[in-house]
Amino acid sequence: MSASYEVKGNVAVITLNNPPVNGLGHATRSGIFDGLKKAMADTAVKAVVITGAGKAFSGGADIKEFNSPKATAEPTLHTVIAALEGAEKPVVAAVHSVAMGGGLELALGCHYRVASPGAQIALPEVKLGILPGAGGTQRLPRVVGVETALNMIVSGTPAPSEKLAGTRLFDQMIEGDLMAGALAFAAKIADTRPLPKVRDIKIDYPNHEAFFQFARNTVGAMAKNFPAPKKCVDCVAASVSMKFEDGLKFEREAFLALVQTSESKALRHFFFGERAASKIPDVPEDTAKRPIKSAAIIGAGTMGGGIAMNFANAGIPVIVLEMKQEALDKGLATIRKNYENTMKKGKLTQQKFDERVNLIKGTMSYDDIKDADIVIEAVFEEMGVKETVFKKLDEVMKPGAILASNTSTLDLNKIAAFTKRPQDVIGTHFFSPANVMKLLEIVRGAKTGKDVLATTMALSKKIKKTGVVSGVCDGFIGNRMVEQYSRQAGFLLEEGCLSEQVDKAIEKIGFAMGPFRMGDLAGNDIGWAIRKRRYAERPNMKYSKTADLLCEMGRYGQKTGAGWYDYKPGDRKPYPSQLVNDMIVKHSKDIGVERRKVSDQEIVERLVYALVNEAAYLLEEGIAQKASDVDMVYLTGYGFPLHRGGPMFYADTVGLLNVVSAMEKYARGRHGEFWKPAPLLAKLAAEGKTFN
Ligand code: 3HC
Ligand code: NAI
């Protein structure tokens, strides 16, 4: 039983006890149900208090049970809530820390609710692609009002309990000892009859049709790839227009339909994948971590400035080091400007602005940074420069300081070898703009200490990044995969596509940006430099020459006003370029390829399966630890559509046998060798298994 029962005086106390967040799995529901029965049968008991042990009242339904028989096994959450609401003795919910989803719905089924200040109150189901399915959409509007409830349900955002004090959600706020306060409250209301039920509260909301229509339009435009937000609006609308029982039924049907959608499955995969990424198989969770109370950054360029902002945003003082005053001033001015822009948009108060700017200092002396707990190097991407910096860091940094490199392509083990403390060296590969992008690839060198890895992983959470561990290889997880994706994009041009067709096809399935628009944004010269290296290193690896021809035309992308597309001054919109299209068609002719019509399906399959196959190699080589890590990299760093759950989840959804069959078909075209399935992919497909 994941709920305990005890009697204090004449009050029965049922305590949810299912760590870490008292999820309402089958055992917990049974525990509550049985406890309630006991309380009703005991004539000495006059009232019931229900609360949660540990760090939550309840985080809601147990998401791990979804789509399993346990989710629908009796007593369901509906049954439990109906029993609480129908109990002939008063039931008081004592809410603290977290009351979310089914947890809040459980509290709404009680006759009374008392709460500690600072508890996070939310119906966050929408973030999992579903909606509150245990009466939340019908009961919350009755206690906090239709508009507040709609906002909470559609956004899923938590509100602190004290913000909702004064609404009918809470009968009393309790400072200090919650249980003592709840028991005192229970004693006070023990004889009150009839018992109040949220379902009986009348909703008076004139003009609701116009309001809900407006809400539907707004939500529809914002959440076009997800069905849940619109359904949330429909259900809250039902709380106004339907009788309570009918509204409940309407909500139930919508919930059951949504829980089966691929969008919801993808969002749940994301929820668990993000948490799983922080678990490193050979690094126990209780590994001692080094304290990180201060940081230093070497280099105040594009990346250094953004990285420094992450620390300041998390309240950690940070010193940025440059070699020249001019570069330092420029870097610090950019940081200030970024914060000013955020403030202008109303997203930062003057006080927070001052706090953050004051946490960032500049220096040109290594003496000023020697006591930092972590130093992150973000200087030019040249081994010689990295060598100078790491030798210097080895000399000056205090013992135990973490020495991190933001290198995107260089061998971290070589960098670590420039020091006498390779166990302290780690890669922290941020993505541009570093203060915005969620992804942080944490690169584990051959000698990186486990405590250094654990500390950096914990730090990534503190600075609000999704940390994913990668082994050392060229490109780490994300860029190594993207190289294969780009190669396919190039081959598609040679065979019959134009850049806009490729971009549109992949954007239609939800990618934030197709490969050619992405190239124009990042700078086509970057890929060109990498390819030049590749031509020397791997002469047998084939690339389309179209991207080189484009660069030879000086078309580096937005920064030169022209790339795969034309750009107008002050306008980032891409316009198809006749010149580029002519170049593409001519190139096919020059290499003797007869252009053909390529379907959008082929484009999508070839681009996505190129990612999937490379990821299978990464898994085999142990560079990526698990398939969900690859998905997290692509969802948080590469604009892969969230509702499709990442490349590996997508491949699982398509079916790996289908993926392999498609690859076999493409292998019969040009570049057959490209489409040889990685052994892991071939094995899983043959065994009828999935990556995730
Ligand atoms: N079900 C199952 N497991 C859950 C869970 C849930 N509802 N909520 C959290 N967990 C697990 C996490 O997976 C994690 O497990 P792990 O240690 O094995 O990785 C562990 O609890 C701790 O989670 P966090 O790392 O997120 O802990 P935090 O303290 O940072 O946050 C939280 C706690 C705010 C509760 C956060 O976990 C959260 O937002 N959880 C999701 C809440 C939610 O979406 N609830 C709605 C569920 S759906 C529902 O109720 C349907 C109903 O309407 C019928
Ligand atoms: P940048 O050229 O914008 O900035 C580098 C800064 O380092 C310059 O301000 C320069 O003055 C300074 N610098 C150079 N040598 C120095 C030294 N010895 N001591 C102190 N400062 C020195 O470069 P950017 O783009 O910020 O890249 C930095 C690192 O981050 C590189 O390793 C790069 O590969 C990596 N990276 C870059 C990404 C990007 O999108 N720009 C993304 C991810 C990683």
Side-chain angles (χ1 to χ4, degrees), residues 298-304 321-323 327 366 377-382 385-386 388-389 406-409 429-432:
I298 314 294
T302 311
M303 296 306 288
L321 183 144
E322 270 281 348
M323 301 228 291
Y366 275 88
E377 163 280 308
V379 302
F380 302 136
E381 187 73 343
E382 281 166 35
V385 187
K386 306 280 189 203
T388 313
V389 170
N406 189 47
T407 181
S408 43
T409 55
H429 185 217
F430 287 82
F431 287 71
S432 181

PDB file of all heavy atoms in Angstrom, residues 298-304 321-323 327 366 377-382 385-386 388-389 406-409 429-432, ligand 2:
ATOM      1  N   ILE A 298      36.752  31.765 -20.541  1.00  0.00           N
ATOM      2  CA  ILE A 298      37.866  32.305 -21.324  1.00  0.00           C
ATOM      3  C   ILE A 298      37.334  32.604 -22.725  1.00  0.00           C
ATOM      4  O   ILE A 298      36.905  31.691 -23.426  1.00  0.00           O
ATOM      5  CB  ILE A 298      39.041  31.306 -21.447  1.00  0.00           C
ATOM      6  CG1 ILE A 298      39.369  30.665 -20.096  1.00  0.00           C
ATOM      7  CG2 ILE A 298      40.271  31.973 -22.053  1.00  0.00           C
ATOM      8  CD1 ILE A 298      39.911  31.591 -19.056  1.00  0.00           C
ATOM      9  N   GLY A 299      37.365  33.872 -23.092  1.00  0.00           N
ATOM     10  CA  GLY A 299      36.859  34.286 -24.410  1.00  0.00           C
ATOM     11  C   GLY A 299      35.467  34.886 -24.275  1.00  0.00           C
ATOM     12  O   GLY A 299      34.555  34.233 -23.768  1.00  0.00           O
ATOM     13  N   ALA A 300      35.332  36.131 -24.724  1.00  0.00           N
ATOM     14  CA  ALA A 300      34.041  36.825 -24.597  1.00  0.00           C
ATOM     15  C   ALA A 300      33.407  37.007 -25.972  1.00  0.00           C
ATOM     16  O   ALA A 300      32.781  38.024 -26.256  1.00  0.00           O
ATOM     17  CB  ALA A 300      34.226  38.177 -23.916  1.00  0.00           C
ATOM     18  N   GLY A 301      33.585  36.014 -26.835  1.00  0.00           N
ATOM     19  CA  GLY A 301      33.007  36.106 -28.179  1.00  0.00           C
ATOM     20  C   GLY A 301      31.562  35.637 -28.188  1.00  0.00           C
ATOM     21  O   GLY A 301      30.875  35.678 -27.160  1.00  0.00           O
ATOM     22  N   THR A 302      31.130  35.156 -29.349  1.00  0.00           N
ATOM     23  CA  THR A 302      29.738  34.728 -29.522  1.00  0.00           C
ATOM     24  C   THR A 302      29.319  33.763 -28.418  1.00  0.00           C
ATOM     25  O   THR A 302      28.292  33.934 -27.776  1.00  0.00           O
ATOM     26  CB  THR A 302      29.604  33.979 -30.871  1.00  0.00           C
ATOM     27  OG1 THR A 302      30.220  34.776 -31.865  1.00  0.00           O
ATOM     28  CG2 THR A 302      28.173  33.699 -31.241  1.00  0.00           C
ATOM     29  N   MET A 303      30.135  32.741 -28.179  1.00  0.00           N
ATOM     30  CA  MET A 303      29.738  31.706 -27.227  1.00  0.00           C
ATOM     31  C   MET A 303      30.049  32.113 -25.785  1.00  0.00           C
ATOM     32  O   MET A 303      29.218  31.928 -24.890  1.00  0.00           O
ATOM     33  CB  MET A 303      30.439  30.387 -27.557  1.00  0.00           C
ATOM     34  CG  MET A 303      30.052  29.799 -28.892  1.00  0.00           C
ATOM     35  SD  MET A 303      28.273  29.591 -29.091  1.00  0.00           S
ATOM     36  CE  MET A 303      27.942  28.225 -28.004  1.00  0.00           C
ATOM     37  N   GLY A 304      31.237  32.669 -25.562  1.00  0.00           N
ATOM     38  CA  GLY A 304      31.640  33.012 -24.195  1.00  0.00           C
ATOM     39  C   GLY A 304      30.627  33.930 -23.517  1.00  0.00           C
ATOM     40  O   GLY A 304      30.244  33.706 -22.358  1.00  0.00           O
ATOM     41  N   LEU A 321      37.304  36.295 -19.184  1.00  0.00           N
ATOM     42  CA  LEU A 321      38.689  36.713 -19.457  1.00  0.00           C
ATOM     43  C   LEU A 321      38.936  36.840 -20.957  1.00  0.00           C
ATOM     44  O   LEU A 321      38.559  35.954 -21.725  1.00  0.00           O
ATOM     45  CB  LEU A 321      39.647  35.684 -18.858  1.00  0.00           C
ATOM     46  CG  LEU A 321      41.140  35.978 -18.972  1.00  0.00           C
ATOM     47  CD1 LEU A 321      41.870  35.500 -17.715  1.00  0.00           C
ATOM     48  CD2 LEU A 321      41.794  35.350 -20.199  1.00  0.00           C
ATOM     49  N   GLU A 322      39.525  37.946 -21.346  1.00  0.00           N
ATOM     50  CA  GLU A 322      39.947  38.153 -22.742  1.00  0.00           C
ATOM     51  C   GLU A 322      41.403  38.596 -22.738  1.00  0.00           C
ATOM     52  O   GLU A 322      41.935  39.000 -21.697  1.00  0.00           O
ATOM     53  CB  GLU A 322      39.089  39.236 -23.414  1.00  0.00           C
ATOM     54  CG  GLU A 322      37.841  38.711 -24.119  1.00  0.00           C
ATOM     55  CD  GLU A 322      38.118  38.095 -25.485  1.00  0.00           C
ATOM     56  OE1 GLU A 322      39.237  38.261 -26.000  1.00  0.00           O
ATOM     57  OE2 GLU A 322      37.204  37.441 -26.039  1.00  0.00           O
ATOM     58  N   MET A 323      42.034  38.565 -23.925  1.00  0.00           N
ATOM     59  CA  MET A 323      43.426  38.976 -23.990  1.00  0.00           C
ATOM     60  C   MET A 323      43.550  40.477 -24.195  1.00  0.00           C
ATOM     61  O   MET A 323      44.508  41.097 -23.758  1.00  0.00           O
ATOM     62  CB  MET A 323      44.111  38.265 -25.148  1.00  0.00           C
ATOM     63  CG  MET A 323      44.051  36.759 -25.001  1.00  0.00           C
ATOM     64  SD  MET A 323      45.623  36.072 -25.278  1.00  0.00           S
ATOM     65  CE  MET A 323      45.807  36.392 -27.022  1.00  0.00           C
ATOM     66  N   ALA A 327      38.443  43.626 -27.014  1.00  0.00           N
ATOM     67  CA  ALA A 327      37.585  42.434 -27.146  1.00  0.00           C
ATOM     68  C   ALA A 327      36.743  42.241 -25.903  1.00  0.00           C
ATOM     69  O   ALA A 327      35.558  41.869 -25.977  1.00  0.00           O
ATOM     70  CB  ALA A 327      38.451  41.201 -27.400  1.00  0.00           C
ATOM     71  N   TYR A 366      44.757  36.217 -15.495  1.00  0.00           N
ATOM     72  CA  TYR A 366      44.430  34.879 -14.995  1.00  0.00           C
ATOM     73  C   TYR A 366      44.401  34.843 -13.460  1.00  0.00           C
ATOM     74  O   TYR A 366      43.750  33.991 -12.863  1.00  0.00           O
ATOM     75  CB  TYR A 366      45.427  33.845 -15.538  1.00  0.00           C
ATOM     76  CG  TYR A 366      45.041  33.314 -16.911  1.00  0.00           C
ATOM     77  CD1 TYR A 366      45.444  33.958 -18.073  1.00  0.00           C
ATOM     78  CD2 TYR A 366      44.251  32.177 -17.027  1.00  0.00           C
ATOM     79  CE1 TYR A 366      45.073  33.478 -19.328  1.00  0.00           C
ATOM     80  CE2 TYR A 366      43.883  31.688 -18.273  1.00  0.00           C
ATOM     81  CZ  TYR A 366      44.303  32.350 -19.416  1.00  0.00           C
ATOM     82  OH  TYR A 366      43.917  31.861 -20.640  1.00  0.00           O
ATOM     83  N   GLU A 377      36.367  27.241 -21.308  1.00  0.00           N
ATOM     84  CA  GLU A 377      37.143  27.867 -22.390  1.00  0.00           C
ATOM     85  C   GLU A 377      36.270  27.980 -23.636  1.00  0.00           C
ATOM     86  O   GLU A 377      35.668  26.990 -24.065  1.00  0.00           O
ATOM     87  CB  GLU A 377      38.399  27.017 -22.608  1.00  0.00           C
ATOM     88  CG  GLU A 377      39.131  27.215 -23.898  1.00  0.00           C
ATOM     89  CD  GLU A 377      38.486  26.488 -25.064  1.00  0.00           C
ATOM     90  OE1 GLU A 377      38.234  25.275 -24.959  1.00  0.00           O
ATOM     91  OE2 GLU A 377      38.220  27.162 -26.071  1.00  0.00           O
ATOM     92  N   ALA A 378      36.188  29.195 -24.194  1.00  0.00           N
ATOM     93  CA  ALA A 378      35.425  29.406 -25.436  1.00  0.00           C
ATOM     94  C   ALA A 378      36.219  30.328 -26.358  1.00  0.00           C
ATOM     95  O   ALA A 378      35.746  31.383 -26.783  1.00  0.00           O
ATOM     96  CB  ALA A 378      34.050  29.991 -25.127  1.00  0.00           C
ATOM     97  N   VAL A 379      37.479  29.929 -26.631  1.00  0.00           N
ATOM     98  CA  VAL A 379      38.334  30.728 -27.517  1.00  0.00           C
ATOM     99  C   VAL A 379      38.265  30.149 -28.929  1.00  0.00           C
ATOM    100  O   VAL A 379      37.479  29.249 -29.195  1.00  0.00           O
ATOM    101  CB  VAL A 379      39.794  30.773 -26.997  1.00  0.00           C
ATOM    102  CG1 VAL A 379      39.836  31.354 -25.587  1.00  0.00           C
ATOM    103  CG2 VAL A 379      40.431  29.384 -26.997  1.00  0.00           C
ATOM    104  N   PHE A 380      39.111  30.660 -29.831  1.00  0.00           N
ATOM    105  CA  PHE A 380      39.041  30.200 -31.225  1.00  0.00           C
ATOM    106  C   PHE A 380      39.190  28.680 -31.332  1.00  0.00           C
ATOM    107  O   PHE A 380      39.910  28.063 -30.544  1.00  0.00           O
ATOM    108  CB  PHE A 380      40.137  30.865 -32.072  1.00  0.00           C
ATOM    109  CG  PHE A 380      40.074  32.366 -32.075  1.00  0.00           C
ATOM    110  CD1 PHE A 380      41.232  33.131 -31.931  1.00  0.00           C
ATOM    111  CD2 PHE A 380      38.854  33.027 -32.229  1.00  0.00           C
ATOM    112  CE1 PHE A 380      41.178  34.522 -31.933  1.00  0.00           C
ATOM    113  CE2 PHE A 380      38.795  34.408 -32.237  1.00  0.00           C
ATOM    114  CZ  PHE A 380      39.955  35.159 -32.078  1.00  0.00           C
ATOM    115  N   GLU A 381      38.569  28.140 -32.359  1.00  0.00           N
ATOM    116  CA  GLU A 381      38.581  26.680 -32.546  1.00  0.00           C
ATOM    117  C   GLU A 381      39.874  26.237 -33.227  1.00  0.00           C
ATOM    118  O   GLU A 381      39.879  25.773 -34.371  1.00  0.00           O
ATOM    119  CB  GLU A 381      37.338  26.292 -33.382  1.00  0.00           C
ATOM    120  CG  GLU A 381      37.102  24.805 -33.539  1.00  0.00           C
ATOM    121  CD  GLU A 381      36.601  24.094 -32.293  1.00  0.00           C
ATOM    122  OE1 GLU A 381      36.719  24.647 -31.195  1.00  0.00           O
ATOM    123  OE2 GLU A 381      36.102  22.976 -32.437  1.00  0.00           O
ATOM    124  N   GLU A 382      40.979  26.418 -32.529  1.00  0.00           N
ATOM    125  CA  GLU A 382      42.271  25.968 -33.070  1.00  0.00           C
ATOM    126  C   GLU A 382      43.020  25.266 -31.956  1.00  0.00           C
ATOM    127  O   GLU A 382      43.122  25.801 -30.848  1.00  0.00           O
ATOM    128  CB  GLU A 382      43.105  27.175 -33.519  1.00  0.00           C
ATOM    129  CG  GLU A 382      42.695  27.743 -34.853  1.00  0.00           C
ATOM    130  CD  GLU A 382      43.312  29.116 -35.061  1.00  0.00           C
ATOM    131  OE1 GLU A 382      44.457  29.330 -34.613  1.00  0.00           O
ATOM    132  OE2 GLU A 382      42.613  29.968 -35.645  1.00  0.00           O
ATOM    133  N   VAL A 385      45.615  27.270 -30.011  1.00  0.00           N
ATOM    134  CA  VAL A 385      45.089  28.260 -29.053  1.00  0.00           C
ATOM    135  C   VAL A 385      44.572  27.537 -27.808  1.00  0.00           C
ATOM    136  O   VAL A 385      44.805  27.960 -26.675  1.00  0.00           O
ATOM    137  CB  VAL A 385      43.954  29.105 -29.706  1.00  0.00           C
ATOM    138  CG1 VAL A 385      43.527  30.228 -28.774  1.00  0.00           C
ATOM    139  CG2 VAL A 385      44.390  29.657 -31.047  1.00  0.00           C
ATOM    140  N   LYS A 386      43.902  26.413 -28.030  1.00  0.00           N
ATOM    141  CA  LYS A 386      43.384  25.645 -26.885  1.00  0.00           C
ATOM    142  C   LYS A 386      44.564  25.179 -26.010  1.00  0.00           C
ATOM    143  O   LYS A 386      44.491  25.181 -24.789  1.00  0.00           O
ATOM    144  CB  LYS A 386      42.595  24.410 -27.366  1.00  0.00           C
ATOM    145  CG  LYS A 386      41.463  24.703 -28.363  1.00  0.00           C
ATOM    146  CD  LYS A 386      40.199  25.209 -27.727  1.00  0.00           C
ATOM    147  CE  LYS A 386      39.068  25.275 -28.736  1.00  0.00           C
ATOM    148  NZ  LYS A 386      37.995  26.192 -28.409  1.00  0.00           N
ATOM    149  N   THR A 388      47.530  26.583 -25.572  1.00  0.00           N
ATOM    150  CA  THR A 388      48.053  27.687 -24.751  1.00  0.00           C
ATOM    151  C   THR A 388      47.138  27.912 -23.552  1.00  0.00           C
ATOM    152  O   THR A 388      47.592  28.053 -22.416  1.00  0.00           O
ATOM    153  CB  THR A 388      48.076  29.001 -25.604  1.00  0.00           C
ATOM    154  OG1 THR A 388      48.647  28.690 -26.857  1.00  0.00           O
ATOM    155  CG2 THR A 388      48.810  30.111 -24.918  1.00  0.00           C
ATOM    156  N   VAL A 389      45.841  27.939 -23.818  1.00  0.00           N
ATOM    157  CA  VAL A 389      44.893  28.248 -22.741  1.00  0.00           C
ATOM    158  C   VAL A 389      44.895  27.151 -21.675  1.00  0.00           C
ATOM    159  O   VAL A 389      44.974  27.427 -20.476  1.00  0.00           O
ATOM    160  CB  VAL A 389      43.469  28.459 -23.322  1.00  0.00           C
ATOM    161  CG1 VAL A 389      42.435  28.526 -22.211  1.00  0.00           C
ATOM    162  CG2 VAL A 389      43.423  29.722 -24.173  1.00  0.00           C
ATOM    163  N   ASN A 406      34.563  24.387 -24.574  1.00  0.00           N
ATOM    164  CA  ASN A 406      33.349  24.475 -25.399  1.00  0.00           C
ATOM    165  C   ASN A 406      33.646  24.057 -26.843  1.00  0.00           C
ATOM    166  O   ASN A 406      32.879  24.358 -27.757  1.00  0.00           O
ATOM    167  CB  ASN A 406      32.831  25.918 -25.366  1.00  0.00           C
ATOM    168  CG  ASN A 406      31.463  26.059 -26.000  1.00  0.00           C
ATOM    169  OD1 ASN A 406      30.570  25.277 -25.720  1.00  0.00           O
ATOM    170  ND2 ASN A 406      31.288  27.030 -26.890  1.00  0.00           N
ATOM    171  N   THR A 407      34.754  23.364 -27.050  1.00  0.00           N
ATOM    172  CA  THR A 407      35.100  22.993 -28.432  1.00  0.00           C
ATOM    173  C   THR A 407      33.951  22.257 -29.115  1.00  0.00           C
ATOM    174  O   THR A 407      33.245  21.477 -28.485  1.00  0.00           O
ATOM    175  CB  THR A 407      36.373  22.116 -28.476  1.00  0.00           C
ATOM    176  OG1 THR A 407      36.633  21.822 -29.854  1.00  0.00           O
ATOM    177  CG2 THR A 407      36.207  20.803 -27.727  1.00  0.00           C
ATOM    178  N   SER A 408      33.777  22.536 -30.423  1.00  0.00           N
ATOM    179  CA  SER A 408      32.700  21.846 -31.130  1.00  0.00           C
ATOM    180  C   SER A 408      33.236  20.716 -31.998  1.00  0.00           C
ATOM    181  O   SER A 408      32.474  19.851 -32.406  1.00  0.00           O
ATOM    182  CB  SER A 408      31.895  22.834 -31.974  1.00  0.00           C
ATOM    183  OG  SER A 408      32.732  23.716 -32.650  1.00  0.00           O
ATOM    184  N   THR A 409      34.540  20.722 -32.284  1.00  0.00           N
ATOM    185  CA  THR A 409      35.051  19.692 -33.190  1.00  0.00           C
ATOM    186  C   THR A 409      36.363  19.044 -32.738  1.00  0.00           C
ATOM    187  O   THR A 409      36.732  17.992 -33.253  1.00  0.00           O
ATOM    188  CB  THR A 409      35.318  20.274 -34.604  1.00  0.00           C
ATOM    189  OG1 THR A 409      36.192  21.387 -34.446  1.00  0.00           O
ATOM    190  CG2 THR A 409      34.040  20.709 -35.292  1.00  0.00           C
ATOM    191  N   HIS A 429      29.607  21.458 -24.449  1.00  0.00           N
ATOM    192  CA  HIS A 429      29.316  21.956 -25.794  1.00  0.00           C
ATOM    193  C   HIS A 429      27.963  22.651 -25.791  1.00  0.00           C
ATOM    194  O   HIS A 429      26.913  22.007 -25.860  1.00  0.00           O
ATOM    195  CB  HIS A 429      29.348  20.792 -26.791  1.00  0.00           C
ATOM    196  CG  HIS A 429      29.185  21.209 -28.214  1.00  0.00           C
ATOM    197  ND1 HIS A 429      28.490  20.470 -29.139  1.00  0.00           N
ATOM    198  CD2 HIS A 429      29.618  22.316 -28.875  1.00  0.00           C
ATOM    199  CE1 HIS A 429      28.512  21.094 -30.300  1.00  0.00           C
ATOM    200  NE2 HIS A 429      29.188  22.215 -30.165  1.00  0.00           N
ATOM    201  N   PHE A 430      28.020  23.971 -25.680  1.00  0.00           N
ATOM    202  CA  PHE A 430      26.800  24.780 -25.715  1.00  0.00           C
ATOM    203  C   PHE A 430      26.415  25.020 -27.163  1.00  0.00           C
ATOM    204  O   PHE A 430      27.237  24.910 -28.071  1.00  0.00           O
ATOM    205  CB  PHE A 430      27.038  26.133 -25.034  1.00  0.00           C
ATOM    206  CG  PHE A 430      27.148  26.067 -23.530  1.00  0.00           C
ATOM    207  CD1 PHE A 430      28.344  25.720 -22.908  1.00  0.00           C
ATOM    208  CD2 PHE A 430      26.060  26.370 -22.727  1.00  0.00           C
ATOM    209  CE1 PHE A 430      28.449  25.668 -21.519  1.00  0.00           C
ATOM    210  CE2 PHE A 430      26.152  26.323 -21.336  1.00  0.00           C
ATOM    211  CZ  PHE A 430      27.352  25.974 -20.735  1.00  0.00           C
ATOM    212  N   PHE A 431      25.197  25.415 -27.376  1.00  0.00           N
ATOM    213  CA  PHE A 431      24.712  25.710 -28.725  1.00  0.00           C
ATOM    214  C   PHE A 431      24.362  27.185 -28.839  1.00  0.00           C
ATOM    215  O   PHE A 431      23.992  27.812 -27.848  1.00  0.00           O
ATOM    216  CB  PHE A 431      23.514  24.798 -29.069  1.00  0.00           C
ATOM    217  CG  PHE A 431      23.975  23.387 -29.326  1.00  0.00           C
ATOM    218  CD1 PHE A 431      24.434  22.601 -28.276  1.00  0.00           C
ATOM    219  CD2 PHE A 431      24.039  22.879 -30.614  1.00  0.00           C
ATOM    220  CE1 PHE A 431      24.938  21.330 -28.497  1.00  0.00           C
ATOM    221  CE2 PHE A 431      24.539  21.608 -30.846  1.00  0.00           C
ATOM    222  CZ  PHE A 431      24.995  20.834 -29.785  1.00  0.00           C
ATOM    223  N   SER A 432      24.502  27.715 -30.012  1.00  0.00           N
ATOM    224  CA  SER A 432      24.334  29.158 -30.214  1.00  0.00           C
ATOM    225  C   SER A 432      22.865  29.500 -30.506  1.00  0.00           C
ATOM    226  O   SER A 432      22.239  28.809 -31.310  1.00  0.00           O
ATOM    227  CB  SER A 432      25.221  29.580 -31.390  1.00  0.00           C
ATOM    228  OG  SER A 432      25.101  30.942 -31.598  1.00  0.00           O
TER     229      SER A 432
HETATM  230  P1  NAI B   2      34.407  33.870 -31.378  1.00  0.00           P
HETATM  231  O1  NAI B   2      35.438  34.098 -32.398  1.00  0.00           O
HETATM  232  O2  NAI B   2      33.123  34.607 -31.460  1.00  0.00           O
HETATM  233  O3  NAI B   2      35.016  34.170 -29.933  1.00  0.00           O
HETATM  234  C1  NAI B   2      36.252  33.725 -29.499  1.00  0.00           C
HETATM  235  C2  NAI B   2      36.789  34.733 -28.492  1.00  0.00           C
HETATM  236  O4  NAI B   2      37.926  34.208 -27.862  1.00  0.00           O
HETATM  237  C3  NAI B   2      37.190  36.060 -29.123  1.00  0.00           C
HETATM  238  O5  NAI B   2      36.530  37.103 -28.454  1.00  0.00           O
HETATM  239  C4  NAI B   2      38.701  36.106 -28.903  1.00  0.00           C
HETATM  240  O6  NAI B   2      39.166  37.431 -28.685  1.00  0.00           O
HETATM  241  C5  NAI B   2      38.872  35.252 -27.687  1.00  0.00           C
HETATM  242  N1  NAI B   2      40.166  34.633 -27.561  1.00  0.00           N
HETATM  243  C6  NAI B   2      40.905  34.052 -28.534  1.00  0.00           C
HETATM  244  N2  NAI B   2      42.048  33.559 -28.016  1.00  0.00           N
HETATM  245  C7  NAI B   2      42.030  33.842 -26.701  1.00  0.00           C
HETATM  246  C8  NAI B   2      42.913  33.585 -25.626  1.00  0.00           C
HETATM  247  N3  NAI B   2      44.058  32.937 -25.813  1.00  0.00           N
HETATM  248  N4  NAI B   2      42.557  34.020 -24.403  1.00  0.00           N
HETATM  249  C9  NAI B   2      41.414  34.672 -24.193  1.00  0.00           C
HETATM  250  N5  NAI B   2      40.533  34.940 -25.181  1.00  0.00           N
HETATM  251  C10 NAI B   2      40.842  34.524 -26.413  1.00  0.00           C
HETATM  252  O7  NAI B   2      34.182  32.303 -31.348  1.00  0.00           O
HETATM  253  P2  NAI B   2      32.904  31.512 -30.851  1.00  0.00           P
HETATM  254  O8  NAI B   2      31.973  31.322 -31.965  1.00  0.00           O
HETATM  255  O9  NAI B   2      32.422  32.121 -29.583  1.00  0.00           O
HETATM  256  O10 NAI B   2      33.526  30.074 -30.550  1.00  0.00           O
HETATM  257  C11 NAI B   2      34.274  29.818 -29.389  1.00  0.00           C
HETATM  258  C12 NAI B   2      34.369  28.309 -29.194  1.00  0.00           C
HETATM  259  O11 NAI B   2      33.052  27.773 -29.097  1.00  0.00           O
HETATM  260  C13 NAI B   2      35.028  27.555 -30.332  1.00  0.00           C
HETATM  261  O12 NAI B   2      35.739  26.476 -29.782  1.00  0.00           O
HETATM  262  C14 NAI B   2      33.849  27.070 -31.164  1.00  0.00           C
HETATM  263  O13 NAI B   2      34.150  25.920 -31.915  1.00  0.00           O
HETATM  264  C15 NAI B   2      32.873  26.756 -30.070  1.00  0.00           C
HETATM  265  N6  NAI B   2      31.462  26.734 -30.474  1.00  0.00           N
HETATM  266  C16 NAI B   2      30.951  27.699 -31.284  1.00  0.00           C
HETATM  267  C17 NAI B   2      29.617  27.672 -31.661  1.00  0.00           C
HETATM  268  C18 NAI B   2      29.028  28.735 -32.529  1.00  0.00           C
HETATM  269  O14 NAI B   2      27.909  28.544 -33.030  1.00  0.00           O
HETATM  270  N7  NAI B   2      29.694  29.864 -32.719  1.00  0.00           N
HETATM  271  C19 NAI B   2      28.724  26.603 -31.179  1.00  0.00           C
HETATM  272  C20 NAI B   2      29.338  25.687 -30.268  1.00  0.00           C
HETATM  273  C21 NAI B   2      30.670  25.745 -29.953  1.00  0.00           C
END
